[in-house]
Amino acid sequence: KNFGYKEVTLLGENVNSYGKDLKDGTTFAKLLDEVAKINIPRVRFLTSHPWDFTSDIIDVIAKHDNIMKYIHLPVQSGSDEILHLMGRRYTSKQYKELVDLIRSKIPGVAISTDIIVGFPNETYEQFLDTVKMVEYVKYESAFTFIYSPRNGTPAAKMVDNVTNKEKSQRFQELVKALEKTISPSSEKMVGNVYDVLVETVSEKDKTMMSGYTETNKLVHFKGDPSLIGEIVKVKINESHTYSLIGELVDER
């Protein structure tokens, strides 16, 4: 039974390491497969660590229509030296190979990421490796952060020679690089109709409803609060890069 739920999100700090401690053959791929079989219209999961993103997970996503073709895959940096300092157990090459495998097996998949700019002692050249990664992957969306020390982490003890001004400049440069791929991906949606799960009344305009497409694009459209919790068809009329404006399609 799915009890009428329209969407479920499997959530974990590293969700795809699920089952490792059980030592009985349980894997995240098997869990995802079982959840999809419940036939909830939308299944999502966060957050994935590239190190544990196995090909069997990709196969399960590709197999089920109700697993959203949206993958949040935090890269953090495109520089191997910085990745090593961060304790990330993959190289930029391995990350790219994973992205290539995902895109080859799941046509139309949307990939988002997390990126940290200005990690202690990051050189400008190392930062440019991150920009190159952004250009290679062509993310549909990204959460970007300027590094700030967190107590108890090894990085908090590092002497940092990157000035706040440099961090801010790099951050702005990164945002521009991201927009070069995010803007076209949003523009391509204009004129097309998408399924949108209605979540709330828009904060900026109480006559507008807000919801998300299967690839996690935010859509605003004129509608009634009674639609909250429903999946409706919306035609996209405008792209504002990070959100879209649309209109309800009358299905009668």
Side-chain angles (χ1 to χ4, degrees), residues 145-178:
F145 309 91
I146 293 176
Y147 171 80
S148 58
R150 260 178 39 205
N151 282 340
T153 61
K157 297 181 183 132
M158 294 179 190
V159 177
D160 188 2
N161 66 2
V162 187
T163 67
N164 287 337
K165 186 181 176 188
E166 284 175 302
K167 289 179 201 275
S168 293
Q169 285 172 338
R170 289 177 197 180
F171 183 81
Q172 293 307 322
E173 197 173 330
L174 175 66
V175 168
K176 281 182 186 162
L178 283 161

Side-chain angles (χ1 to χ4, degrees), residues 11-244:
L11 190 63
E13 193 166 334
N14 174 16
V15 74
N16 42 354
S17 66
Y18 176 84
K20 282 186 168 184
D21 54 339
L22 299 175
K23 298 183 173 49
D24 63 358
T26 300
T27 64
F28 179 64
K30 287 178 183 171
L31 173 70
L32 194 56
D33 192 44
E34 290 302 318
V35 173
K37 286 176 188 169
I38 300 169
N39 286 327
I40 291 170
R42 292 186 171 194
V43 177
R44 298 188 187 276
F45 58 93
L46 300 167
T47 291
S48 297
H49 193 297
W51 179 256
D52 289 313
F53 211 109
T54 51
S55 59
D56 57 345
I57 296 173
I58 301 170
D59 291 338
V60 170
I61 299 165
K63 181 171 86 168
H64 293 283
D65 288 341
N66 61 334
I67 300 179
M68 297 299 91
K69 307 305 182 255
Y70 165 82
I71 295 171
H72 187 64
L73 199 63
V75 67
Q76 306 300 3
S77 171
S79 159
D80 288 345
E81 297 95 337
I82 297 294
L83 287 170
H84 180 70
L85 286 173
M86 287 176 168
R88 307 286 286 182
R89 293 175 297 165
Y90 54 86
T91 63
S92 57
K93 181 173 179 281
Q94 287 170 318
Y95 183 92
K96 286 174 181 172
E97 285 170 352
L98 174 59
V99 166
D100 290 345
L101 184 62
I102 289 170
R103 291 211 189 273
S104 71
K105 288 191 171 188
I106 311 170
V109 68
I111 298 176
S112 63
T113 198
D114 295 342
I115 297 173
I116 293 172
V117 166
F119 195 77
N121 307 311
E122 176 191 70
T123 66
Y124 185 65
E125 286 68 32
Q126 288 168 332
F127 163 72
L128 288 179
D129 285 338
T130 299
V131 173
K132 284 178 196 158
M133 179 66 81
V134 163
E135 290 167 346
Y136 182 88
V137 178
K138 298 181 171 58
Y139 295 106
E140 270 76 11
S141 62
F143 297 95
T144 49
F145 309 91
I146 293 176
Y147 171 80
S148 58
R150 260 178 39 205
N151 282 340
T153 61
K157 297 181 183 132
M158 294 179 190
V159 177
D160 188 2
N161 66 2
V162 187
T163 67
N164 287 337
K165 186 181 176 188
E166 284 175 302
K167 289 179 201 275
S168 293
Q169 285 172 338
R170 289 177 197 180
F171 183 81
Q172 293 307 322
E173 197 173 330
L174 175 66
V175 168
K176 281 182 186 162
L178 283 161
E179 284 181 354
K180 279 183 186 168
T181 60
I182 295 170
S183 285
S185 95
S186 295
E187 301 267 344
K188 269 191 238 164
M189 296 174 73
V190 174
N192 296 320
V193 175
Y194 296 91
D195 287 336
V196 172
L197 175 55
V198 189
E199 290 200 359
T200 185
V201 175
S202 170
E203 288 177 17
K204 292 180 181 172
D205 183 344
K206 298 303 176 198
T207 69
M208 302 281 276
M209 306 305 297
S210 299
Y212 288 87
T213 67
E214 294 188 358
T215 55
N216 219 39
K217 290 276 191 182
L218 176 61
V219 178
H220 304 293
F221 63 93
K222 282 241 186 299
D224 190 86
S226 63
L227 294 173
I228 291 173
E230 297 299 320
I231 294 173
V232 297
K233 294 206 175 293
V234 177
K235 183 183 179 186
I236 305 303
N237 295 332
E238 293 173 40
S239 165
H240 293 197
T241 302
Y242 297 107
S243 65
L244 302 153

